[in-house]
Amino acid sequence: MRSTYTGDFDFNKYLEKVVDAETILYTGRVVAVKGLEVESEGPRSVIGEMCTIKLRDGKLLQAEVVGLDEKIVKLAPFGETKGIEVGCEVVASGRSLMVPVGPKLLGRMINASGRPCDDKGEIVPETYYPAVANPPAPNERTDINRRISTGVRAIDSLLTVGKGQRLGIFAGSGVGKSTLLSIIARNTDADINVIGLIGERGREVLDFVNRDLGEEGMKRSVLVVATSDEPSICRLRAAQVCTAIAEYFRDQGKDVMLMMDSVTRFAHAQREIGLANGEPPAQKGYPPSVFDMIPKLLERSGTNQKGSITAFYTVLVDGDDMNEPITDKVRGTLDGHIVLNRKLAQAYHYPAIDVLQSISRLSKRVSGAQTRKAVGRLRTWMATYSENETMITAGIYQKGNSPEIDQAIDKHMEIEEFLKQEEYEPCPMKETLEKLSALTGIEIPESEYVEAPALDIPYTAQITDSIKQTEA
C-alpha cells in the first residue's frame, strides 16, 4: 500500500543514526575487575575509545579505554562496578567521548557524559564536539586587548582581567573560592557562563544553582557536574566536557566565561586512574600523566579568530602550601593568579583576596592610562603599610617620621572598605573606577569606564618602539 502522506518530515536525525551506525562490532569479554578498573580480553580498541559493558540484567554501562596490555584492555567505567562479572560482553564504539552542544544547552545541567541531569528532558544538540581536543594553534590566537568585567571590585580595579585571559584562584579549604566564583557568574558582562563543578559535594550543586546563580544567572549558564562520589573518570572527563562546551560557544563568536571548581580534583582523578593503571608515582604521589594533562586542559581556553574564553580555575592549595606540585604547575601555566588569604577570611574580610600576593599578567594591557596610574598609587600605599605593619600596630612608629608611611596609614581603612564587598553587592566597572578615582585622587576619564582598547598605542607597536630604543 502506497503512503499518501505529503507533509514535511525531518529525516535528518534518522539519517545521522544510519550513518553513525557501526556495521562491524568489535567485542570482548570481561576477565577481571581490579579496584577502579575493569579488564577485558578485547575488543580491538584505542586509548580514549568509548565502550559499552553489557551486564547480565540487561543494563548497559559506559566505560573508557585507559590502558592496553597485550590482549588485555583496561577500562574505566562511568558508574559503579557493581553487577559486572567475568564474561560480560564489552562492545567498542569506534569513537571517543563526544559532547552534544548547541544553544539549547543554556539553562541546563549535564553530567560527565553530556547527558542532562536536571529532570528537564532531553537536549536536542546542534552538533557534537570531542571532549578531548587540542588547543588553538599559537598563530590562531588573537591579541588580548579588551577587558572583561567580573563584578568584583578588587579584581576589576587592581587585577583587571582581559577577554581571553586565564587566571587561577588559589586558596586552602573554606576560604571562599566557590563564593568568589558565584559573584563572578552573576555579575560578569560575558555573553555565556560555562561552569564545571568537579568533585563537589552533592549538597553544593543545587545550592550553587538556586542560591548563587539564581534564575537570571542560570538562563545564560551551562553547568557540568561530577560530584565527589562519582568515579574518577567522570570527574576527569567533566572538566574536559565543560571546556568543549565553552569551545563551541567561542566558535559561535561569543565571549565565554569558563569557571572550573576545581583543577585540584581534576588532578586527583587522573592520579587515581594513573596509579590504578600502573604508572609510577612521581612528585608527592602524582604520576607523570597528571603534569602532562594539566597544561593540555588549561591551554584550550583563551582566544581564537572567532571569540574568546576567559577562564577562572580554582586550585585547592593543600596545607596552604603555594609550592605544592599542582599549585606550582597551574600557577606557571596560567596568565595570572588570585590568592585568597585565610587570615583575611578569619577577619571577615570578603572576598579574602590578598592583592599584594596576586597578579594579573595582562592587567596593564587592558587598563587605561589614568586607571593604571591610580592602581599604582593604591598598590604603593598597600605595600608601604604591609612593610611597616608590625611597627605601626606595635606603636613603635611615630607619625611624622615618613610622609609615605603617614599617607599609607591615613588611607588604610579607606582601602580596606574599598576592597571589601558583600556577596550579593553588584559593582559595575563604572562604579568601581569612580570609587578608585575618589580614593586615590586621580581623575579617571569617562572614556576609560567603557570597554575600549586599553593601551594608548597597540601592544605590538610598544614592543617595536622598545626594540628600536634598545638598538639605538
Side-chain angles (χ1 to χ4, degrees), residues 164-378:
Q165 189 173 350
R166 304 158 305 144
L167 291 99
I169 300 175
F170 296 81
S173 56
V175 185
K177 298 184 296 300
S178 299
T179 303
L180 182 57
L181 283 187
S182 69
I183 298 173
I184 296 172
R186 283 194 305 274
N187 300 312
T188 180
D189 60 356
D191 299 322
I192 289 166
N193 295 323
V194 180
I195 304 166
L197 301 179
I198 315 301
E200 282 289 340
R201 305 171 187 88
R203 172 189 61 81
E204 292 180 338
V205 174
L206 283 181
D207 276 357
F208 192 90
V209 173
N210 298 327
R211 187 179 65 87
D212 296 335
L213 269 183
E215 187 178 347
E216 288 302 313
M218 193 63 191
K219 284 180 182 177
R220 62 185 183 119
S221 301
V222 182
L223 259 71
V224 182
V225 177
T227 54
S228 57
D229 60 310
E230 293 187 47
S232 50
I233 190 66
C234 293
R235 287 176 272 134
L236 185 76
R237 290 294 174 245
Q240 292 162 332
V241 166
C242 69
T243 305
I245 293 170
E247 288 171 332
Y248 161 77
F249 285 111
R250 176 178 62 186
D251 290 345
Q252 305 305 305
K254 304 295 186 182
D255 292 318
V256 183
M257 180 66 75
L258 171 63
M259 288 165 279
M260 191 178 297
D261 187 13
S262 70
V263 176
T264 307
R265 295 190 182 106
F266 167 83
H268 288 173
Q270 177 57 30
R271 178 174 63 181
E272 292 169 12
I273 293 171
L275 293 176
N277 203 21
E279 275 192 79
Q283 299 182 53
K284 290 197 174 180
Y286 290 99
S289 60
V290 173
F291 302 100
D292 177 60
M293 292 189 75
I294 286 175
K296 286 181 178 177
L297 176 72
L298 305 186
E299 285 290 340
R300 288 171 63 181
S301 53
T303 61
N304 67 4
Q305 300 292 333
K306 299 173 183 177
S308 69
I309 299 175
T310 307
F312 283 89
Y313 300 96
T314 68
V315 182
L316 181 62
V317 183
D318 290 339
D320 291 338
D321 178 13
M322 288 296 292
N323 294 314
E324 64 95 21
I326 300 302
T327 302
D328 191 53
K329 182 68 176 179
V330 174
R331 188 173 61 234
T333 305
L334 297 176
D335 304 317
H337 52 272
I338 297 170
V339 179
L340 303 187
N341 190 304
R342 191 175 295 278
K343 288 184 179 179
L344 290 176
Q346 290 170 345
Y348 206 72
H349 183 295
Y350 288 105
I353 299 173
D354 190 334
V355 173
L356 296 179
Q357 294 296 320
S358 306
I359 187 170
S360 170
R361 292 190 175 117
L362 302 179
S363 179
K364 291 184 178 179
R365 193 189 298 188
V366 296
S367 300
Q370 289 298 100
T371 303
R372 295 197 298 270
K373 189 175 179 181
V375 168
R377 180 173 292 182
L378 189 61

Side-chain angles (χ1 to χ4, degrees), residues 32-46:
V33 178
K34 296 181 178 179
L36 303 176
E37 286 186 349
V38 176
E39 293 186 356
S40 70
E41 188 175 321
R44 180 180 173 183
S45 54
V46 298

